[in-house]
Amino acid sequence: MSTELKVVAARLHRVRMPLVHAFQTSSHRKAFLDHILVELEDASGAVGWGEIASSSDPYYAPETVETCWHIASKYLLPAVLDQPWTHPDQLAARWSKVRGNNFAKAGADTAAWVLWAEIQQLPLATVLGGTRTEVVAGVSLGIEPTIDDLLVQVQHQVDAGYPRVKLKIASGWDVEPVRAVRTAYPELDLHVDANGIYTSDDLTHLQRLDEYGLTMIEQPFAPRDLLTHAELQRRISTAVCLDESIETVADLETALRLEALQILNIKVSRMGGLTAARAAHDRARDAGVAVWCGGMHEFGIGRLANVALSSLPGFTLPSDVSASEKYYARDVVEPAVTAVQGVVQVPQAAGLGHAVNRELIAANTVAELTLGPEQE
Ligand code: OSB
Ligand code: MG
């Protein structure tokens, strides 16, 4: 069965949403986020939504909101407009001439998958091959002004029922906060994420984290520095997890060969979409590497794509798919994504599975662009 599908109009909405709680990583602090929502419409009027969840600054990845807008409007959307396809997994190849720019690709790719699921009248999770009806969520906590502030945040999330807490760490904010949280919560599933801030000079220092029973140490070194990740993994018993280092399945292949990871964080954004994220899942599963789904503080659209991806069988560790309310007072989907005792239900309705709130999107839009017939 191959339904031919043709996108006749494509829209970009740059939407600004205030964060409930400002988020600080080793590189930056944010109180509101601008993400670009991608809307693809076919001839029958069916619509698929995706989200480009790029940071505004090029600190996590080289992309910014402006580069994503440029790449999506000039290269990615024109390559789908009026050019039929029969399955969303064909689009990654169509965009492969464009090097990198995975966040921009991810938004367009997700919109195509959602449109496809919508037309098939099946849930996004089902068309991806998901097998779970619910997924376990963990939370990611930013760097706080003091350890007491951090302990308040951890208590808040533990009270909300989340079974796993990840702490952002940085030079000067690592062993002390980890020791404090571990002392207060001896049994908590706890892990740390350095966003690549350390260097090989810090190997001995990082070995000190090995005694706190962490589930993993995520991305301690720079993205391209796989050899130092492998060296740390040889020296500690805690699992090393890679995030920024893995942008393609080929990167994963190299990291596996080097034994630079035991756990993989798969982000739809970083991998360039659901097709690539699923391929990374499949490869990691073959290799016996546990995976979980990372987040980029997505609005509801990207968040639901993460939930759908997390329903694949290899996602055995809690994912960063916590409830919308941790980030946004109101979300762009209705109902918002909720978690009960750290468990998020995988939507069973067709497509994204939640309605998209166009009014809220319109009220928060700072820029908009339509490609297709409506331009004229
Ligand atoms: O490394 O996982 C990361 C947010 C911005 C940039 C990088 C990262 C993050 C998160 C967010 O940890 C996790 C979430 O969406 O809850
Ligand atoms: Mg990370």
Side-chain angles (χ1 to χ4, degrees):
M1 170 212 58
S2 71
T3 325
E4 196 177 71
L5 216 141
K6 194 165 80 177
V7 171
V8 297
R11 248 166 252 114
L12 296 178
H13 312 251
R14 177 171 177 160
V15 178
R16 179 164 301 169
M17 300 264 281
L19 282 164
V20 168
H21 184 78
F23 192 81
Q24 171 109 33
T25 70
S26 59
S27 63
H28 58 286
R29 181 173 180 81
K30 281 284 170 277
F32 67 85
L33 296 181
D34 280 16
H35 287 177
I36 300 168
L37 300 180
V38 180
E39 190 186 354
L40 298 180
E41 189 176 329
D42 86 338
S44 74
V47 162
W49 288 89
E51 178 172 336
I52 299 177
S54 175
S55 305
S56 53
D57 304 308
Y59 302 151
Y60 168 80
E63 294 171 87
T64 69
V65 180
E66 281 76 18
T67 70
C68 288
W69 187 274
H70 169 66
I71 295 293
S73 58
K74 184 151 196 265
Y75 299 98
L76 307 180
L77 300 184
V80 289
L81 263 178
D82 295 321
Q83 294 158 70
W85 41 278
T86 55
H87 194 278
D89 67 8
Q90 294 158 2
L91 296 177
R94 205 174 278 186
W95 292 321
S96 64
K97 269 206 304 201
V98 176
R99 302 263 191 219
N101 290 285
N102 281 358
F103 276 73
K105 287 175 179 170
D109 176 274
T110 301
W113 273 97
V114 171
L115 176 59
W116 166 254
E118 199 63 63
I119 285 170
Q120 304 295 307
Q121 280 300 298
L122 290 169
L124 179 61
T126 305
V127 297
L128 282 169
T131 52
R132 297 168 203 282
T133 57
E134 49 184 45
V135 300
V136 180
V139 290
S140 170
L141 298 181
I143 291 167
E144 291 289 334
T146 68
I147 287 185
D148 283 344
D149 290 314
L150 177 65
L151 289 169
V152 168
Q153 290 301 317
V154 174
Q155 186 61 46
H156 190 62
Q157 303 304 339
V158 168
D159 288 344
Y162 288 105
R164 179 275 272 164
V165 170
K166 140 172 157 179
L167 308 179
K168 292 286 179 182
I169 58 166
S171 311
W173 179 267
D174 44 34
V175 176
E176 296 308 315
V178 166
R179 181 190 297 130
V181 174
R182 180 47 89 212
T183 303
Y185 305 89
E187 304 295 332
L188 184 66
D189 177 355
L190 187 65
H191 94 241
V192 295
D193 182 4
N195 290 110
I197 201 73
Y198 298 101
T199 71
S200 55
D201 292 342
D202 301 308
L203 276 162
T204 312
H205 176 67
L206 288 172
Q207 282 176 253
R208 294 176 58 198
L209 291 173
D210 212 14
E211 67 182 86
Y212 297 101
L214 301 174
T215 313
M216 66 190 100
I217 300 180
E218 181 180 345
Q219 198 70 45
F221 309 111
R224 308 303 271 264
D225 193 358
L226 290 174
L227 293 175
T228 306
H229 286 96
E231 176 60 24
L232 181 66
Q233 188 64 92
R234 280 191 290 276
R235 294 191 191 190
I236 61 174
S237 55
T238 308
V240 169
C241 169
L242 292 178
D243 175 355
E244 286 92 325
S245 291
I246 308 298
E247 295 183 357
T248 64
V249 175
D251 290 339
L252 174 58
E253 216 59 73
T254 308
L256 289 169
R257 187 76 67 89
L258 293 172
E259 298 181 11
L261 82 167
Q262 286 182 5
I263 294 177
L264 175 63
N265 167 342
I266 297 183
K267 287 185 182 172
V268 177
S269 296
R270 198 195 67 230
M271 298 304 298
L274 288 165
T275 300
R278 185 176 62 173
H281 157 275
D282 295 349
R283 181 65 189 99
R285 197 159 177 244
D286 282 350
V289 165
V291 306
W292 56 285
C293 176
M296 292 299 301
H297 298 155
E298 283 84 356
F299 304 170
I301 291 170
R303 188 164 299 280
L304 287 169
N306 292 345
V307 170
L309 182 73
S310 303
S311 75
L312 295 177
F315 285 83
T316 52
L317 295 167
S319 292
D320 279 344
V321 292
S322 37
S324 304
E325 64 172 13
K326 175 174 179 278
Y327 312 86
Y328 306 103
R330 291 193 65 197
D331 204 345
V332 299
V333 297
E334 262 178 358
V337 179
T338 53
V340 177
Q341 292 302 111
V343 175
V344 177
Q345 298 301 314
V346 178
Q348 296 304 310
L352 208 52
H354 291 218
V356 170
N357 185 340
R358 283 187 181 272
E359 272 170 34
L360 187 73
I361 290 173
N364 290 278
T365 292
V366 291
E368 211 165 16
L369 175 73
T370 300
L371 300 179
E374 288 167 43
Q375 272 178 296
E376 288 101 65

